[in-house]
Amino acid sequence: MASKVEICGVNTSSLPRYKDKEMHDMLTAIKAGDMEVRDEFIRGNLRLVLSVIQKFSGRGENPDDLFQVGCVGLIKALDNFDMSHGVKFSTYAVPMIIGEVRRYLRDNNSIRVSRSMRDMAYKALTAKEALGGELQREPTIEEIAGNLGVRKEDVVLALDSIQDPVSLFEPLYNDEGDPVYVMDQIKDIKNTDARWVENLSLSEAMKKLSLREQHILTMRFFEGKTQMEVADEISISQAQVSRLEKNALNYMKKYV
Protein backbone atom coordinates (compact mmCIF):
# COMPACT_ATOMS: atom_id res chain seq x y z
CA MET A 1 0.00 0.00 0.00
CA ALA A 2 2.78 2.38 0.99
CA SER A 3 4.54 1.98 -2.36
CA LYS A 4 1.45 2.45 -4.53
CA VAL A 5 1.81 5.57 -6.67
CA GLU A 6 -1.80 5.76 -7.85
CA ILE A 7 -4.80 5.16 -5.62
CA CYS A 8 -8.43 5.81 -6.60
CA GLY A 9 -7.13 7.51 -9.74
CA VAL A 10 -5.01 9.95 -7.70
CA ASN A 11 -1.31 10.20 -8.51
CA THR A 12 0.07 10.41 -4.98
CA SER A 13 3.52 11.52 -6.14
CA SER A 14 2.05 14.73 -7.57
CA LEU A 15 0.02 15.79 -4.53
CA PRO A 16 0.82 19.35 -3.39
CA ARG A 17 2.45 20.22 -0.07
CA TYR A 18 1.50 23.36 1.86
CA LYS A 19 3.22 25.11 4.72
CA ASP A 20 1.40 25.98 7.94
CA LYS A 21 0.94 29.63 6.91
CA GLU A 22 -0.55 28.59 3.56
CA MET A 23 -2.86 26.09 5.30
CA HIS A 24 -4.06 28.80 7.70
CA ASP A 25 -4.80 31.22 4.86
CA MET A 26 -6.66 28.51 2.93
CA LEU A 27 -8.74 27.60 5.98
CA THR A 28 -9.67 31.24 6.43
CA ALA A 29 -10.83 31.39 2.81
CA ILE A 30 -12.76 28.13 3.19
CA LYS A 31 -14.60 29.38 6.25
CA ALA A 32 -15.51 32.43 4.18
CA GLY A 33 -17.15 30.14 1.61
CA ASP A 34 -14.47 29.71 -1.09
CA MET A 35 -15.31 26.26 -2.51
CA GLU A 36 -12.45 26.29 -5.02
CA VAL A 37 -9.91 26.70 -2.22
CA ARG A 38 -11.77 24.01 -0.28
CA ASP A 39 -11.23 21.48 -3.06
CA GLU A 40 -7.56 22.42 -3.29
CA PHE A 41 -7.17 22.17 0.49
CA ILE A 42 -8.65 18.66 0.49
CA ARG A 43 -6.30 17.64 -2.29
CA GLY A 44 -3.38 19.08 -0.36
CA ASN A 45 -4.24 16.91 2.65
CA LEU A 46 -4.67 13.59 0.86
CA ARG A 47 -1.17 12.65 2.03
CA LEU A 48 -2.61 12.77 5.54
CA VAL A 49 -5.21 10.20 4.52
CA LEU A 50 -2.50 8.01 2.99
CA SER A 51 -0.43 8.10 6.17
CA VAL A 52 -3.46 7.03 8.24
CA ILE A 53 -4.63 4.14 6.06
CA GLN A 54 -1.11 2.70 6.05
CA LYS A 55 -1.73 1.89 9.72
CA PHE A 56 -4.50 -0.46 8.59
CA SER A 57 -2.49 -2.33 5.97
CA GLY A 58 -2.26 -6.10 6.19
CA ARG A 59 -5.95 -6.60 7.00
CA GLY A 60 -6.90 -7.80 3.53
CA GLU A 61 -8.90 -4.65 2.80
CA ASN A 62 -8.80 -2.94 -0.58
CA PRO A 63 -6.51 0.14 -0.29
CA ASP A 64 -8.75 2.10 -2.67
CA ASP A 65 -11.76 1.49 -0.40
CA LEU A 66 -9.85 2.55 2.70
CA PHE A 67 -8.60 5.66 0.92
CA GLN A 68 -12.12 6.70 -0.05
CA VAL A 69 -13.36 6.15 3.50
CA GLY A 70 -10.39 8.13 4.83
CA CYS A 71 -11.30 10.99 2.49
CA VAL A 72 -14.78 11.06 4.01
CA GLY A 73 -13.15 11.44 7.42
CA LEU A 74 -10.95 14.24 6.07
CA ILE A 75 -13.96 16.15 4.72
CA LYS A 76 -15.84 15.71 8.02
CA ALA A 77 -12.81 17.06 9.86
CA LEU A 78 -12.66 20.08 7.57
CA ASP A 79 -16.37 20.80 7.98
CA ASN A 80 -16.15 20.62 11.79
CA PHE A 81 -12.76 22.28 12.30
CA ASP A 82 -12.78 25.42 14.48
CA MET A 83 -9.84 27.73 13.86
CA SER A 84 -10.47 29.72 17.03
CA HIS A 85 -8.95 26.99 19.20
CA GLY A 86 -5.50 27.46 17.69
CA VAL A 87 -5.00 23.74 16.95
CA LYS A 88 -3.26 22.48 13.83
CA PHE A 89 -5.68 20.98 11.33
CA SER A 90 -3.74 17.70 11.11
CA THR A 91 -3.95 17.27 14.89
CA TYR A 92 -7.73 17.41 14.68
CA ALA A 93 -8.12 15.56 11.38
CA VAL A 94 -6.11 12.40 12.09
CA PRO A 95 -8.45 11.05 14.83
CA MET A 96 -11.45 11.85 12.61
CA ILE A 97 -9.95 9.92 9.69
CA ILE A 98 -9.00 6.98 11.92
CA GLY A 99 -12.52 6.94 13.37
CA GLU A 100 -14.09 6.84 9.93
CA VAL A 101 -11.84 3.97 8.80
CA ARG A 102 -12.52 2.01 11.99
CA ARG A 103 -16.25 2.50 11.56
CA TYR A 104 -15.98 1.12 8.05
CA LEU A 105 -13.99 -1.89 9.25
CA ARG A 106 -16.49 -2.56 12.04
CA ASP A 107 -19.43 -2.48 9.64
CA ASN A 108 -17.63 -5.01 7.45
CA ASN A 109 -16.49 -7.19 10.34
CA SER A 110 -17.49 -10.88 10.33
CA ILE A 111 -17.72 -10.89 14.14
CA ARG A 112 -21.30 -10.17 15.20
CA VAL A 113 -22.15 -7.90 18.13
CA SER A 114 -25.63 -7.50 19.64
CA ARG A 115 -27.79 -4.70 18.25
CA SER A 116 -28.07 -2.89 21.58
CA MET A 117 -24.32 -3.02 22.16
CA ARG A 118 -23.61 -1.78 18.65
CA ASP A 119 -26.12 1.05 19.05
CA MET A 120 -24.45 2.12 22.29
CA ALA A 121 -21.05 2.02 20.60
CA TYR A 122 -22.24 4.20 17.70
CA LYS A 123 -23.78 6.69 20.12
CA ALA A 124 -20.49 6.81 22.01
CA LEU A 125 -18.53 7.37 18.79
CA THR A 126 -20.93 10.09 17.67
CA ALA A 127 -20.64 11.80 21.06
CA LYS A 128 -16.87 11.42 20.87
CA GLU A 129 -16.73 13.21 17.51
CA ALA A 130 -19.09 15.97 18.66
CA LEU A 131 -17.14 16.55 21.87
CA GLY A 132 -13.88 16.44 19.94
CA GLY A 133 -15.18 19.28 17.75
CA GLU A 134 -16.17 21.32 20.79
CA LEU A 135 -13.08 20.65 22.88
CA GLN A 136 -10.58 20.39 19.99
CA ARG A 137 -9.04 17.40 21.73
CA GLU A 138 -9.76 13.75 22.42
CA PRO A 139 -12.62 13.57 24.98
CA THR A 140 -12.28 11.26 27.99
CA ILE A 141 -14.52 8.27 28.66
CA GLU A 142 -16.06 10.17 31.58
CA GLU A 143 -16.95 13.08 29.30
CA ILE A 144 -18.50 10.76 26.71
CA ALA A 145 -20.50 8.92 29.37
CA GLY A 146 -21.66 12.23 30.84
CA ASN A 147 -22.79 13.42 27.44
CA LEU A 148 -24.85 10.26 26.91
CA GLY A 149 -26.10 10.05 30.48
CA VAL A 150 -24.82 6.49 30.98
CA ARG A 151 -22.20 4.82 33.14
CA LYS A 152 -18.62 4.98 31.92
CA GLU A 153 -18.42 1.18 32.30
CA ASP A 154 -21.18 0.84 29.69
CA VAL A 155 -19.26 3.07 27.28
CA VAL A 156 -16.04 1.11 27.76
CA LEU A 157 -17.83 -2.23 27.28
CA ALA A 158 -19.60 -1.02 24.13
CA LEU A 159 -16.44 0.39 22.55
CA ASP A 160 -14.45 -2.73 23.42
CA SER A 161 -17.09 -4.95 21.82
CA ILE A 162 -16.55 -3.42 18.38
CA GLN A 163 -12.76 -3.33 18.43
CA ASP A 164 -11.05 -4.88 15.44
CA PRO A 165 -9.84 -8.46 16.06
CA VAL A 166 -6.09 -8.95 16.24
CA SER A 167 -4.35 -11.96 14.71
CA LEU A 168 -2.42 -14.16 17.13
CA PHE A 169 0.39 -14.08 14.59
CA GLU A 170 0.58 -10.28 14.35
CA PRO A 171 4.18 -9.23 15.14
CA LEU A 172 4.54 -6.94 18.16
CA TYR A 173 8.29 -6.45 18.17
CA ASN A 174 11.21 -7.23 15.89
CA ASP A 175 14.77 -6.16 16.69
CA GLU A 176 16.72 -7.62 13.77
CA GLY A 177 15.91 -11.09 15.02
CA ASP A 178 12.97 -13.42 15.47
CA PRO A 179 9.77 -11.36 15.83
CA VAL A 180 7.63 -11.50 18.95
CA TYR A 181 4.01 -12.27 18.10
CA VAL A 182 0.80 -11.63 20.03
CA MET A 183 0.56 -15.37 20.70
CA ASP A 184 3.94 -15.29 22.46
CA GLN A 185 2.59 -12.75 24.96
CA ILE A 186 -0.65 -14.53 25.82
CA LYS A 187 0.18 -18.20 25.41
CA ASP A 188 -0.60 -20.56 28.29
CA ILE A 189 2.70 -22.02 29.50
CA LYS A 190 0.86 -24.47 31.79
CA ASN A 191 -1.80 -25.95 29.53
CA THR A 192 0.52 -26.80 26.66
CA ASP A 193 0.04 -29.54 24.07
CA ALA A 194 2.62 -31.63 25.93
CA ARG A 195 0.71 -31.24 29.20
CA TRP A 196 -2.55 -32.13 27.46
CA VAL A 197 -1.03 -35.32 26.03
CA GLU A 198 0.45 -36.15 29.44
CA ASN A 199 -2.93 -35.73 31.15
CA LEU A 200 -4.58 -37.86 28.49
CA SER A 201 -1.99 -40.60 29.03
CA LEU A 202 -2.50 -40.51 32.80
CA SER A 203 -6.25 -40.69 32.34
CA GLU A 204 -5.92 -43.72 30.10
CA ALA A 205 -3.49 -45.35 32.55
CA MET A 206 -5.93 -44.83 35.41
CA LYS A 207 -8.57 -46.74 33.46
CA LYS A 208 -6.26 -49.79 33.45
CA LEU A 209 -6.31 -49.98 37.25
CA SER A 210 -8.83 -51.77 39.41
CA LEU A 211 -11.68 -49.74 40.88
CA ARG A 212 -10.07 -49.96 44.34
CA GLU A 213 -6.73 -48.69 43.03
CA GLN A 214 -8.45 -45.87 41.15
CA HIS A 215 -10.32 -44.90 44.31
CA ILE A 216 -7.13 -44.89 46.39
CA LEU A 217 -5.18 -42.74 43.92
CA THR A 218 -8.11 -40.33 43.57
CA MET A 219 -8.30 -39.80 47.30
CA ARG A 220 -4.52 -39.54 47.70
CA PHE A 221 -3.58 -37.26 44.78
CA PHE A 222 -6.78 -35.44 43.80
CA GLU A 223 -8.44 -35.05 47.21
CA GLY A 224 -5.18 -34.67 49.16
CA LYS A 225 -5.92 -37.29 51.82
CA THR A 226 -3.26 -39.10 53.83
CA GLN A 227 -2.76 -42.86 53.70
CA MET A 228 -4.27 -43.14 57.18
CA GLU A 229 -7.39 -41.23 56.10
CA VAL A 230 -7.74 -43.45 53.04
CA ALA A 231 -7.28 -46.57 55.19
CA ASP A 232 -10.02 -45.47 57.57
CA GLU A 233 -12.40 -44.70 54.71
CA ILE A 234 -12.07 -48.03 52.91
CA SER A 235 -11.52 -50.11 56.10
CA ILE A 236 -8.05 -51.54 55.41
CA SER A 237 -4.67 -50.97 57.05
CA GLN A 238 -2.34 -48.12 56.23
CA ALA A 239 0.26 -50.67 55.10
CA GLN A 240 -2.21 -52.12 52.59
CA VAL A 241 -2.97 -48.64 51.26
CA SER A 242 0.75 -47.98 50.86
CA ARG A 243 1.28 -51.27 49.00
CA LEU A 244 -1.72 -50.79 46.68
CA GLU A 245 -0.72 -47.20 45.97
CA LYS A 246 2.88 -48.18 45.15
CA ASN A 247 1.81 -51.01 42.84
CA ALA A 248 -0.69 -48.78 41.05
CA LEU A 249 1.87 -46.02 40.49
CA ASN A 250 4.46 -48.48 39.19
CA TYR A 251 1.93 -49.92 36.74
CA MET A 252 0.96 -46.43 35.52
CA LYS A 253 4.63 -45.45 35.00
CA LYS A 254 5.13 -48.47 32.76
CA TYR A 255 1.93 -47.71 30.83
CA VAL A 256 2.74 -44.01 30.30
Side-chain angles (χ1 to χ4, degrees):
M1 183 185 298
S3 60
K4 188 170 184 178
V5 174
E6 185 172 300
I7 185 167
C8 289
V10 177
N11 187 348
T12 58
S13 62
S14 65
L15 290 175
R17 296 176 183 271
Y18 296 112
K19 297 181 179 179
D20 290 344
K21 178 63 167 61
E22 293 175 307
M23 296 272 281
H24 183 275
D25 292 342
M26 293 176 75
L27 283 168
T28 301
I30 292 169
K31 295 302 179 182
D34 193 326
M35 299 304 294
E36 185 175 340
V37 174
R38 183 177 188 274
D39 292 341
E40 187 59 29
F41 182 87
I42 292 173
R43 179 174 172 78
N45 281 274
L46 291 181
R47 292 181 187 275
L48 198 61
V49 176
L50 288 171
S51 67
V52 169
I53 66 173
Q54 286 177 14
K55 301 177 186 295
F56 297 91
S57 61
R59 295 171 180 254
E61 295 291 337
N62 188 315
D64 287 356
D65 292 342
L66 293 182
F67 181 75
Q68 292 181 60
V69 173
C71 288
V72 173
L74 174 65
I75 293 170
K76 285 185 177 181
L78 177 57
D79 291 341
N80 291 281
F81 185 63
D82 188 344
M83 296 179 63
S84 65
H85 291 279
V87 179
K88 288 182 63 175
F89 175 74
S90 59
T91 303
Y92 176 72
V94 168
M96 292 284 283
I97 298 170
I98 291 175
E100 200 66 31
V101 174
R102 283 179 174 169
R103 186 178 296 108
Y104 166 79
L105 293 174
R106 282 193 299 270
D107 290 343
N108 289 274
N109 197 339
S110 58
I111 299 176
R112 298 302 176 192
V113 180
S114 70
R115 178 70 177 272
S116 60
M117 189 70 72
R118 184 179 291 275
D119 288 345
M120 172 62 75
Y122 284 150
K123 289 178 181 177
L125 290 172
T126 301
K128 182 179 180 181
E129 289 185 6
L131 287 171
E134 295 175 9
L135 304 172
Q136 294 294 296
R137 62 170 173 80
E138 189 87 0
T140 64
I141 292 295
E142 288 80 4
E143 289 170 336
I144 296 173
N147 181 272
L148 295 175
V150 299
R151 300 183 307 162
K152 66 178 182 180
E153 292 82 2
D154 295 335
V155 174
V156 172
L157 183 62
L159 293 177
D160 284 347
S161 72
I162 55 173
Q163 288 296 313
D164 299 324
V166 177
S167 170
L168 290 175
F169 296 96
E170 181 172 330
L172 294 175
Y173 178 75
N174 190 345
D175 188 15
E176 298 183 358
D178 293 334
V180 176
Y181 298 100
V182 172
M183 185 170 63
D184 297 324
Q185 300 298 305
I186 63 172
K187 66 181 180 181
D188 189 343
I189 60 176
K190 292 184 178 180
N191 299 311
T192 60
D193 289 345
R195 177 64 65 86
W196 179 79
V197 172
E198 179 181 311
N199 289 339
L200 183 62
S201 298
L202 289 173
S203 178
E204 289 299 315
M206 283 279 285
K207 293 178 182 178
K208 302 295 182 181
L209 303 176
S210 67
L211 291 178
R212 171 182 265 189
E213 290 172 330
Q214 289 182 36
H215 188 40
I216 289 173
L217 292 188
T218 298
M219 288 189 289
R220 287 282 290 124
F221 300 105
F222 293 95
E223 298 177 8
K225 295 183 178 180
T226 65
Q227 289 184 347
M228 285 298 297
E229 290 173 329
V230 173
D232 290 341
E233 184 164 329
I234 61 177
S235 301
I236 62 175
S237 68
Q238 185 267 333
Q240 287 177 297
V241 171
S242 178
R243 178 176 56 79
L244 289 169
E245 177 186 313
K246 183 177 181 181
N247 290 339
L249 292 175
N250 285 334
Y251 177 83
M252 291 181 65
K253 288 178 182 178
K254 293 178 181 179
Y255 180 85
V256 172

